[in-house]
Amino acid sequence: QVQLVESGGGLVQAGGSLRLSCAASGDTVCISTMRWYRQAPGMERELVAAITSGGSTQYADSVKGRFTISRDGAKNSLSLQMSSLKPEDTAVYYCNSDSLCRSQGYWGQGTQVTVSS
């Protein structure tokens, strides 16, 4: 079993920055590609960014150039550096990973990010 715990959310003004973190524990050898998703009220959950075990990254068009995803394998952690934040970035952000050990991946509980205009 793998546990993912997000932290770093909060309230920030438009144009500001936040850094989200996701700490993994348990059977971390099962973790492969990791992702950040977000879900705004009344909206579907959407992929924000992804990073493979080898470090290849992928971003949603809406965050390219503003967000940076990174991971530290030694520390079993995932981060999302968010800059130039906009009110439309307001959402609950979730950490996710694929699993090498079972068919279903893993999810964190989410952390709220609120960007005021």
Side-chain angles (χ1 to χ4, degrees):
Q1 188 65 289
V2 170
Q3 294 79 43
L4 301 175
V5 179
E6 303 96 335
S7 61
L11 174 64
V12 64
Q13 289 189 331
S17 299
L18 275 178
R19 185 177 181 88
L20 303 184
S21 297
C22 173
S25 62
D27 297 329
T28 57
V29 293
C30 296
I31 293 174
S32 57
T33 297
M34 299 190 78
R35 303 176 182 86
W36 287 101
Y37 283 83
R38 67 185 180 187
Q39 187 168 21
M43 304 292 285
E44 293 187 354
R45 192 170 296 189
E46 64 172 351
L47 177 64
V48 175
I51 185 167
T52 67
S53 299
S56 297
T57 59
Q58 175 188 358
Y59 295 93
D61 288 342
S62 59
V63 306
K64 280 181 182 177
R66 300 189 298 121
F67 291 10
T68 301
I69 189 171
S70 60
R71 67 190 290 175
D72 185 331
K75 296 182 179 180
N76 297 315
S77 65
L78 178 72
S79 296
L80 185 69
Q81 178 66 46
M82 307 185 293
S83 303
S84 302
L85 283 161
K86 305 175 181 180
E88 51 263 43
D89 294 318
T90 295
V92 177
Y93 284 71
Y94 297 90
C95 177
N96 163 267
S97 76
D98 289 344
S99 175
L100 299 172
C101 303
R102 67 181 198 184
S103 59
Q104 290 184 326
Y106 309 105
W107 289 92
Q109 83 288 350
T111 186
Q112 176 71 47
V113 171
T114 303
V115 184
S116 63
S117 57

